[in-house]
Amino acid sequence: GKEIWRLEGYLSKDEFRAHLEMGLARAALARKDWAQAESRYSAIAESYPDSKYAPQAVYFRGVSRYSASHDGADLKATADTLADKYPETEWRMRSLPWD
């Protein structure tokens, strides 16, 4: 196998669960299974909205949508969501070109 997601240190139960699910989403993204990746990232963003992984899940959900559709509106919507829900995160900063 090939390592695609790593954890070092301790996480709470919910953060650990979100971390594991991020690994599954990342694997779908690596396989270019855009629908599966979007579904997994959406589930993380909705199930763990206060997790440190939620902004990253929102970001990559948008990447997955865009990769399937090639519609720039998907990236704009992602940037808007990050600006609204997670304005002070690095993932919002990464989405600035999409604004």
Side-chain angles (χ1 to χ4, degrees):
K2 182 179 175 185
E3 180 181 298
I4 56 173
W5 197 249
R6 172 180 282 220
L7 169 67
E8 295 180 13
Y10 172 81
L11 295 174
S12 69
K13 180 178 71 170
D14 285 341
E15 288 291 319
F16 183 65
R17 179 65 189 225
H19 176 81
L20 291 176
E21 292 182 26
M22 286 291 288
L24 294 172
R26 183 70 180 165
L29 193 71
R31 290 190 312 272
K32 298 183 181 183
D33 185 346
W34 311 127
Q36 180 72 11
E38 179 184 348
S39 175
R40 289 193 179 276
Y41 285 123
S42 288
I44 296 162
E46 293 166 16
S47 298
Y48 309 99
D50 298 323
S51 167
K52 72 178 195 166
Y53 296 106
Q56 186 176 5
V58 169
Y59 180 91
F60 281 108
R61 175 180 62 193
V63 169
S64 300
R65 284 180 182 162
Y66 174 76
S67 295
S69 70
H70 298 288
D71 183 352
D74 291 328
L75 297 178
K76 172 71 170 122
T78 298
D80 292 345
T81 299
L82 287 165
D84 181 47
K85 292 185 176 183
Y86 307 104
E88 302 299 321
T89 64
E90 74 173 279
W91 298 100
R92 166 57 182 145
M93 218 171 18
R94 291 178 185 212
S95 74
L96 287 175
W98 305 340
D99 230 348

